[in-house]
Amino acid sequence: MSELLKRRSIRSYDPNVKISKEEMIEILAKASRAPSSMNMQPWRFFVVESLEAKERLRPVLYGNQLQLDTSAAMICIFTDLKKYEYAEKIYNIAVEKGLMPVEVKEKQLRNISNMVHTLSDEAIEKGGLIDCGLVAMQLMLIAREHGYETCSIGGFKHDLIAKALGIDEKRYKPVMIVSIGKGLDEGYPSVRLDVLDTTTWM
């Protein structure tokens, strides 16, 4: 069986195993290779690993206390409503690396400039939810390559988490939490609907 298909949601971790900042940066950098609309990369990671930060997160969770107490970190993923402010930086780097012609950069920036004022915060957030879902899945797969397990968590107070962590709640909107650490259990096997139940050929 492919290693990719062996991923399970792990809830219990070895509390003595920590992840260095250097390795976490490497994991998040690889995860950030995930695709995003117009390459705006709206994901913002808040790595909750200290005891003090975990205690601020605790009352925001509906459950998942075992993950909180034993994981090396709880990675809170938010989408940035101001993601388009990074457009010029992203495209300039692409030009410098020879990955994008200058005229394409200028066209993209004009398109963004013409578009952004027509978008509501809700529309920008909706797009960010999709992009952040992609990066979260990639993060969980990359974590396994590094020998760690994960669990995706959506059960938390979305309206309170930014304030609890001291994050600008008007700019950053929560998507999910991913716990990460050295797994102590094997997780539970689960079933999936047959592809014929979920797919329509047209």
Side-chain angles (χ1 to χ4, degrees):
M1 179 187 294
S2 165
E3 283 299 312
L4 183 149
L5 298 179
K6 294 179 182 179
R7 190 209 65 80
R8 291 180 178 174
S9 294
I10 303 301
R11 293 164 175 80
S12 179
Y13 306 91
D14 184 342
N16 297 310
V17 175
K18 307 302 179 185
I19 301 175
S20 69
K21 185 174 182 179
E22 291 73 21
E23 186 174 18
M24 185 65 80
I25 288 173
E26 182 180 352
I27 290 170
L28 295 176
K30 290 177 180 177
S32 296
R33 299 299 300 172
S36 60
S37 178
M38 301 184 79
N39 197 25
M40 285 299 98
Q41 308 161 51
W43 43 75
R44 302 294 179 260
F45 305 110
F46 295 87
V47 182
V48 177
E49 60 181 1
S50 69
L51 291 176
E52 186 272 334
K54 283 189 172 186
E55 286 307 310
R56 284 193 281 147
L57 187 61
R58 188 180 300 279
V60 174
L61 301 176
Y62 287 124
N64 303 297
Q65 300 296 317
L66 183 59
Q67 291 98 313
L68 179 68
D69 290 333
T70 63
S71 66
M74 301 282 273
I75 303 175
C76 300
I77 304 175
F78 286 70
T79 184
D80 186 356
L81 298 186
K82 301 292 186 183
K83 63 183 179 180
Y84 293 111
E85 292 182 357
Y86 285 86
E88 188 165 6
K89 178 177 183 178
I90 292 168
Y91 295 152
N92 280 342
I93 294 172
V95 170
E96 290 170 8
K97 290 182 176 291
L99 303 175
M100 176 183 286
V102 173
E103 56 271 22
V104 173
K105 179 198 80 168
E106 292 174 348
K107 180 181 178 181
Q108 286 287 77
L109 290 176
R110 283 196 303 272
N111 289 341
I112 289 173
S113 179
N114 292 332
M115 174 190 67
V116 70
H117 72 276
T118 70
L119 299 175
S120 66
D121 284 351
E122 291 75 17
I124 296 174
E125 180 179 356
K126 184 176 181 180
L129 294 176
I130 296 170
D131 293 339
C132 289
L134 292 170
V135 83
M137 188 69 252
Q138 185 136 318
L139 167 60
M140 291 185 280
L141 296 176
I142 294 296
R144 290 207 87 232
E145 285 190 353
H146 281 252
Y148 302 112
E149 302 295 345
T150 57
C151 182
S152 58
I153 299 169
F156 58 90
K157 299 173 184 176
H158 286 240
D159 57 330
L160 298 179
I161 186 171
K163 185 175 182 180
L165 296 177
I167 298 166
D168 182 349
E169 55 191 316
K170 291 185 178 180
R171 174 168 182 165
Y172 303 105
K173 299 300 177 181
V175 179
M176 72 173 68
I177 301 170
V178 175
S179 60
I180 182 172
K182 182 65 71 172
L184 283 183
D185 63 58
E186 297 182 356
Y188 300 101
S190 58
V191 299
R192 295 294 184 270
L193 290 170
D194 190 275
V195 170
L196 296 179
D197 292 322
T198 62
T199 308
T200 301
W201 277 261
M202 303 178 71

